[in-house]
Amino acid sequence: MKIKDAKVFVSCPDRNFITLKIYTDQGIYGLGDATLNGRELSVASYLSDHVIPCLIGRDPFQTEDIWQYLYKGAYWRRGPVTMTAIAAVDMALWDIKGKALNTPVYNLLGGKSRTGVLVYGHANGRDIAETVDRVGEYMGLGYKAIRAQSGIPGLESTYGVAKDKLFYEPAEKGLPPENLWSTEKYLLHVPKLFETLRVKYGEDVHLLHDAHHRLRPIEAARLGKSLEPYHLFWLEDPVPAELQEGFRLIRQHTTTPLAVGEVFNAIWDANLLFTEQLVDYIRTTVVHGGGITHLKKMASMAEIYHVLTGCHGATDLSPVAMAAALHFDISINNFGIQEYMRHTDKTDEVFPHAYYFKDGMLYPGDQPGLGVDYDEKLAEKFPYERAYLPVNRKLDGTMYNW
Ligand code: CS2
Ligand code: MG
């Protein structure tokens, strides 16, 4: 079997997605997600202009060699654009391999290690009362794990508070919206949210929170400590993680479990976090972390240091990435949890898929390959519209982390 051609599709069924389709000379094709929220066209060009010409004629079964060729062969290594492009090729090749062998990809990754994949949903509200109600609604939908994010008194907007009940899409058309931020207001507010949630719903439901890179280590230590009575499943992205050593200070002060890595794209972004056991969950996922081939290596290293996976699963990762993540999740031993921000109906129509939600779990289905497709005709109705993630400034105007 040889790779005959490959094509990059850009569409916007309620949000922008970049989808790679690799065709073989035996009529089998594979799909890969190449979506990088706010920088989508960079990856589209990286694939079309630089990667695809090098794929033609290769054996699609050679997932390892093609990964190494695209990684080492670029000379300029790592980074979100490069690793998202490599990830899309890798996902598509695994999809082809599964289809050619007539088996779901999880069977090529060690088989099922569990019956289903525990997921967490996103409850959020403008204030504590609304967020508490939303958490109750998610429990009613069967979720066993729920992330809670609420508006902060005195701040116009903040991360994670959606305009819609079920869907959260942070990217906006036009130029980047500017948010304002106060760490002090945030640190005073969040413990009250989780105290209210525990009083209302008790200890049975897993509660998660995303600080979204907005604290310095000592502030994250303070927040982790103040949340200890509420037994969070995890506190996510407490600090920007370029400085892996920064987590040492947080670790010294709190037992609240820490999760990081949705913006990581290679194992070297986390090697110190693993070897010094500075985090409990690694969030890197297939589409930004070099695909299934590289993510399996990250998970294997994490396993040695008691670190579990908690893959990113926001709406700006397409159903192709979600499908690939579920085959990864259900097969590895050190699986922790999978984020599941539901896509809209329009997105799901463009990306018909076998995976399904039931009682707080996702199931990948047992179609050969990844079990997802792409409706090219329908996708054409939704042309790309440039959109940006917001930027964030402190109240005095200082540029900060969104
Ligand atoms: C968030 C994301 O899902 C999460 O944990 O951090 O919503 C993130 O903000 C978006 O994926 C960015 O595009
Ligand atoms: Mg996050």
Side-chain angles (χ1 to χ4, degrees):
M1 182 184 286
K2 293 271 175 261
I3 294 172
K4 189 175 76 174
D5 194 6
K7 227 177 134 197
V8 176
F9 295 90
V10 183
S11 65
C12 184
D14 280 335
R15 75 156 335 277
N16 292 314
F17 292 110
I18 308 293
T19 307
L20 172 70
K21 197 166 180 178
I22 296 181
Y23 306 86
T24 69
D25 59 0
Q26 292 185 24
I28 292 174
Y29 63 83
L31 293 177
D33 183 20
T35 306
L36 184 64
N37 201 357
R39 295 297 183 273
E40 295 86 359
L41 298 185
S42 320
V43 186
S45 162
Y46 192 103
L47 285 165
S48 300
D49 298 326
H50 304 294
V51 169
I52 289 175
C54 303
L55 294 178
I56 310 306
R58 288 184 181 280
D59 173 357
F61 269 55
Q62 292 180 292
T63 41
E64 183 65 32
D65 183 63
I66 290 174
W67 195 96
Q68 297 293 345
Y69 179 90
L70 295 178
Y71 182 78
K72 294 183 165 76
Y75 184 73
W76 311 104
R77 298 183 179 191
R78 296 165 65 185
V81 174
T82 299
M83 299 306 280
T84 301
I86 294 175
V89 174
D90 189 71
M91 275 180 255
L93 296 181
W94 280 105
D95 194 17
I96 288 167
K97 199 180 291 202
K99 287 172 177 175
L101 297 174
N102 194 30
T103 187
V105 167
Y106 56 71
N107 278 337
L108 307 177
L109 304 176
K112 281 185 177 178
S113 296
R114 56 196 58 78
T115 52
V117 172
L118 174 69
V119 297
Y120 71 89
H122 280 209
N124 58 81
R126 285 162 300 185
D127 54 31
I128 288 181
E130 199 173 82
T131 306
V132 170
D133 290 346
R134 287 281 145 72
V135 168
E137 287 163 22
Y138 267 84
M139 291 170 75
L141 289 170
Y143 284 83
K144 309 289 183 279
I146 299 160
R147 188 187 85 167
Q149 306 286 139
S150 93
I152 300 165
L155 293 184
E156 265 287 292
S157 62
T158 188
Y159 165 73
V161 181
K163 298 182 184 83
D164 178 293
K165 266 196 175 185
L166 257 184
F167 307 110
Y168 174 56
E169 174 47 68
E172 297 192 23
K173 304 215 171 30
L175 291 176
E178 301 232 344
N179 292 175
L180 283 177
W181 174 256
S182 157
T183 297
E184 197 46 37
K185 292 181 190 301
Y186 170 77
L187 290 175
L188 291 169
H189 175 74
V190 174
K192 293 176 194 156
L193 168 63
F194 287 93
E195 181 186 19
T196 314
L197 285 167
R198 282 299 182 213
V199 167
K200 172 99 177 175
Y201 299 117
E203 291 288 342
D204 271 355
V205 61
H206 292 306
L207 294 175
L208 302 88
H209 184 67
D210 190 348
H212 219 259
H213 326 276
R214 297 188 180 194
L215 304 175
R216 290 177 297 117
I218 197 63
E219 294 162 344
R222 173 180 154 191
L223 179 61
K225 221 171 159 65
S226 65
L227 291 172
E228 282 176 12
Y230 316 118
H231 311 121
L232 264 61
F233 186 91
W234 80 33
L235 172 62
E236 174 185 346
D237 281 336
V239 295
E242 290 92 327
L243 182 73
Q244 295 186 49
E245 299 87 325
F247 280 76
R248 288 178 187 145
L249 196 150
I250 309 171
R251 225 28 171 189
Q252 281 160 17
H253 291 278
T254 180
T255 58
T256 293
L258 302 175
V260 72
E262 69 180 50
V263 297
F264 291 177
N265 44 76
I267 199 164
W268 297 278
D269 292 329
N271 58 315
L272 190 76
L273 297 173
F274 292 161
T275 53
E276 293 192 14
Q277 299 180 50
L278 298 177
V279 294
D280 304 279
Y281 296 90
I282 181 68
R283 297 258 299 136
T284 313
T285 194
V286 280
V287 58
H288 302 129
I292 292 171
T293 298
H294 193 60
L295 204 65
K296 267 195 72 68
K297 294 177 182 177
M298 282 187 89
S300 300
M301 180 178 185
E303 186 177 352
I304 298 167
Y305 297 97
H306 302 291
V307 178
L308 302 180
T309 65
C311 291
H312 186 203
T315 44
D316 43 285
L317 289 60
S318 90
V320 178
M322 182 53 77
L326 292 173
H327 286 269
F328 166 82
D329 291 337
I330 207 162
S331 65
I332 57 168
N333 178 264
N334 58 323
F335 167 75
I337 198 165
Q338 170 65 52
E339 178 177 6
Y340 178 46
M341 254 201 212
R342 290 166 182 258
H343 289 105
T344 65
D345 295 343
K346 206 183 276 182
T347 297
D348 284 343
E349 280 155 34
V350 171
F351 294 91
H353 50 267
Y355 66 80
Y356 62 95
F357 175 84
K358 186 166 177 286
D359 297 339
M361 311 276 273
L362 273 177
Y363 299 85
D366 49 16
Q367 284 181 9
L370 296 177
V372 61
D373 211 337
Y374 182 73
D375 186 330
E376 294 175 37
K377 273 264 142 299
L378 183 58
E380 277 170 14
K381 293 185 182 157
F382 312 116
Y384 172 81
E385 291 181 77
R386 190 174 61 199
Y388 287 98
L389 286 169
V391 299
N392 203 19
R393 292 182 183 275
K394 293 183 182 175
L395 296 180
D396 67 0
T398 306
M399 191 62 204
Y400 199 51
N401 310 305
W402 175 73

